[in-house]
Amino acid sequence: MVRAFQSAKGYEQKARVCRAVELPWGRVALPEMVKLLSDADEDLRKVAAEALGKLRPYERDVEFAALIQDPDPGKRIGAARILLDTFNLDALPLIAPCLHDASLEVRKEVVEQVYGLHWEKGFVLGEWAKEFIPLLRDSDERIRTVAATLLGEEGCRAASPELLACLGDPDPWVREVAAKSLGLQGVQEAAPRLEALLDDPEDRVRRAAAEALGKLGTPRAIPRLLRSMSGSEKDTEVRAAAIVALGALKARDAMGEGRKLLRGPEPTLARAAARLLLDLGDRDSATALADLVRKQDWSTLEFVGSNFPIKGWPELDSALMALLKDGDAEIRNKVLQILWGTRLEQSDADTVRCLSDPDPRVRDHAMWRVENFRIREATPELRKLLQHPHLETRQRAMDTLVALIGKRAGPDLVPLLEDPSPRVRESALYALDKLDRPEDLPGMIRLFEDPDPSVRETA
């Protein structure tokens, strides 16, 4: 393996040898791969670092930690990547110096790696988030942007003064992210600065400022947001953000303009107006809102669904439930998803009816609701689904029936042990095993001799 490294020429050959470390004898090449961390080819340095990370060289963590201080930036980057791949965020104490490295390349690479762990894998930095506060003053706008994003998502209140300063950053991305982060953290002192950002030359910054003001819940921002809601603001998305923010602030002064926009030609503004009027409880707009639901405007549907049932708004509830009878399976499926965690007597009846829907996704969502809300009226329909031609539907029906009526499902499941489909027989075995009924054992034992090997193994 070592000779293979020494004789490899060019990127392709060296990369191929690096990737071979997953073989049992790959570990003997550790020293050679460490050398590649300082190779002139950036891609090869990354390949070597990834290969070393796969080896999980725990016994060499001291050596890799020492490389964090190496004069070669390539080795510092490689060592940080290896330690993060191996120990995840537990490596932060070791790689913290790289966040403040003199080399921009090192800082940028390590900041991106740490944020990747936070964003993709959901790791929480906790107290270590404070290490990112000085990066809000970094010379690189990408580093400042990532730092502001991470500090906002981590809820690091210690970063509030620096984030306030970032509202005046020359880079619009930094201003945008700083505004969002201050809104997430509920920093009331930011309100005057955020109001000023509603006049920023960049659309994305004005939109972020409007959204943040809505989250802060500061009534003093209402007059300025009303201006952004009006035609004086040319960007549709900014106007929509201001409208939603006014709804969150319960600004009744916005109701008249909201009614006009609800019936206007611009769908983005109509959706935002729907949110506003629902927040304000404007019953006079119920008919127009119900029309938006009937037109299957997904943004309005989701908002209505998340508040379903809406007290005192039977028109909206009825319009939403009527879509469960729509001819488009996508719409029926979408409505069931929207109603995922909501129960209403009316929705129970429609859920049972959806068990016989021609679309398997609709049936599956309906069975989930039956199981989750213990809708016992669905039992006869579930028994019918045990004979459904769609295999996954039959399997899901078994599980739902067991969850719904317990041991009483046994007599319905035993005949399925002789079903022509081996997958059905196997699913019936699993379902009956959950019931633990002694009288079912003879039928289950017979499947020790089943012609299908998978069924025999399950039995």
Side-chain angles (χ1 to χ4, degrees), residues 123-192:
F123 287 113
V124 177
L125 273 66
E127 285 299 309
W128 279 98
K130 293 178 181 177
E131 290 286 334
F132 281 75
I133 295 176
L135 297 180
L136 294 173
R137 300 187 298 272
D138 197 275
S139 60
D140 183 79
E141 62 274 8
R142 173 60 185 167
I143 291 178
R144 298 198 302 276
T145 302
V146 172
T149 304
L150 191 146
L151 289 163
E153 291 174 356
E154 285 281 331
C156 181
R157 292 303 295 265
S160 297
E162 294 286 352
L163 286 169
L164 278 167
C166 286
L167 294 178
D169 195 279
D171 186 82
W173 291 100
V174 179
R175 297 198 300 277
E176 175 192 11
V177 172
K180 289 181 177 179
S181 294
L182 289 163
L184 285 172
Q185 292 182 7
V187 182
Q188 295 296 322
E189 311 90 90

Side-chain angles (χ1 to χ4, degrees), residues 182-223:
L182 289 163
L184 285 172
Q185 292 182 7
V187 182
Q188 295 296 322
E189 311 90 90
R193 299 284 302 277
L194 290 168
E195 283 186 60
L197 283 187
L198 291 174
D199 293 313
D200 194 276
E202 293 288 335
D203 298 344
R204 69 167 70 92
V205 178
R206 298 199 302 279
R207 182 170 64 250
E211 291 169 353
L213 286 166
K215 288 184 173 69
L216 291 183
T218 310
R220 60 160 284 167
I222 290 175

Side-chain angles (χ1 to χ4, degrees), residues 261-278:
L261 294 173
L262 180 65
R263 295 168 172 82
E266 173 52 60
T268 301
L269 297 180
R271 286 194 291 268
R275 293 277 300 270
L276 166 75
L277 296 168
L278 282 165

Side-chain angles (χ1 to χ4, degrees), residues 358-371:
D359 188 278
R361 295 167 304 166
V362 176
R363 295 195 300 269
D364 191 63
H365 272 120
M367 282 189 271
W368 184 93
R369 287 179 58 79
V370 166
E371 181 175 339

Side-chain angles (χ1 to χ4, degrees), residues 330 332-341 365:
E330 287 291 339
R332 300 194 301 275
N333 193 46
K334 182 73 173 178
V335 173
L336 281 172
Q337 286 178 303
I338 289 169
L339 297 172
W340 191 254
H365 272 120

Side-chain angles (χ1 to χ4, degrees), residues 46-353:
K46 289 183 179 179
V47 170
E50 288 167 5
L52 284 163
K54 288 176 184 176
L55 286 177
R56 296 290 188 266
Y58 295 108
E59 72 278 9
R60 300 173 63 93
D61 62 332
V62 175
E63 179 179 335
F64 286 112
L67 286 175
I68 294 294
Q69 306 294 338
D70 194 277
D72 185 334
K75 286 189 178 179
R76 298 200 296 276
I77 290 172
R81 184 182 287 116
I82 292 160
L83 290 166
L84 285 168
D85 283 348
T86 304
F87 301 108
N88 293 320
L89 293 185
D90 290 337
L92 278 174
L94 297 173
I95 60 94
C98 291
L99 295 173
H100 315 292
D101 198 279
S103 165
L104 172 60
E105 182 188 10
V106 174
R107 293 197 309 277
K108 209 167 186 176
E109 178 73 25
V110 175
V111 165
E112 294 283 5
Q113 287 180 53
V114 173
Y115 184 66
L117 288 173
H118 167 80
W119 174 250
E120 294 170 16
K121 298 186 179 180
F123 287 113
V124 177
L125 273 66
E127 285 299 309
W128 279 98
K130 293 178 181 177
E131 290 286 334
F132 281 75
I133 295 176
L135 297 180
L136 294 173
R137 300 187 298 272
D138 197 275
S139 60
D140 183 79
E141 62 274 8
R142 173 60 185 167
I143 291 178
R144 298 198 302 276
T145 302
V146 172
T149 304
L150 191 146
L151 289 163
E153 291 174 356
E154 285 281 331
C156 181
R157 292 303 295 265
S160 297
E162 294 286 352
L163 286 169
L164 278 167
C166 286
L167 294 178
D169 195 279
D171 186 82
W173 291 100
V174 179
R175 297 198 300 277
E176 175 192 11
V177 172
K180 289 181 177 179
S181 294
L182 289 163
L184 285 172
Q185 292 182 7
V187 182
Q188 295 296 322
E189 311 90 90
R193 299 284 302 277
L194 290 168
E195 283 186 60
L197 283 187
L198 291 174
D199 293 313
D200 194 276
E202 293 288 335
D203 298 344
R204 69 167 70 92
V205 178
R206 298 199 302 279
R207 182 170 64 250
E211 291 169 353
L213 286 166
K215 288 184 173 69
L216 291 183
T218 310
R220 60 160 284 167
I222 290 175
R224 184 60 190 81
L225 286 167
L226 284 169
R227 280 172 49 201
S228 293
M229 178 186 184
S230 70
S232 62
E233 169 59 62
K234 300 305 179 187
D235 184 80
T236 300
E237 295 294 338
V238 177
R239 289 183 72 188
I243 293 165
V244 173
L246 287 163
L249 294 171
K250 306 298 182 188
R252 302 195 70 78
D253 290 346
M255 190 179 289
E257 183 67 18
R259 289 172 178 170
K260 293 178 187 175
L261 294 173
L262 180 65
R263 295 168 172 82
E266 173 52 60
T268 301
L269 297 180
R271 286 194 291 268
R275 293 277 300 270
L276 166 75
L277 296 168
L278 282 165
D279 277 336
L280 296 179
D282 179 27
R283 286 297 312 277
D284 291 341
S285 301
T287 303
L289 285 165
D291 286 342
L292 266 184
V293 171
R294 292 187 191 96
K295 290 175 184 174
Q296 299 132 30
D297 181 273
W298 294 130
S299 178
T300 307
L301 272 173
E302 287 173 355
F303 186 72
V304 171
S306 66
N307 292 280
F308 180 86
I310 301 176
K311 188 176 180 180
W313 293 63
E315 302 97 324
L316 289 180
D317 294 341
S318 299
L320 186 63
M321 297 308 300
L323 291 180
L324 285 174
K325 301 175 184 176
D326 194 273
D328 188 337
E330 287 291 339
I331 294 168
R332 300 194 301 275
N333 193 46
K334 182 73 173 178
V335 173
L336 281 172
Q337 286 178 303
I338 289 169
L339 297 172
W340 191 254
T342 306
R343 186 175 189 183
L344 190 69
E345 187 176 349
Q346 179 186 2
S347 67
D348 282 0
D350 281 304
T351 296
V352 173
R353 188 181 50 74

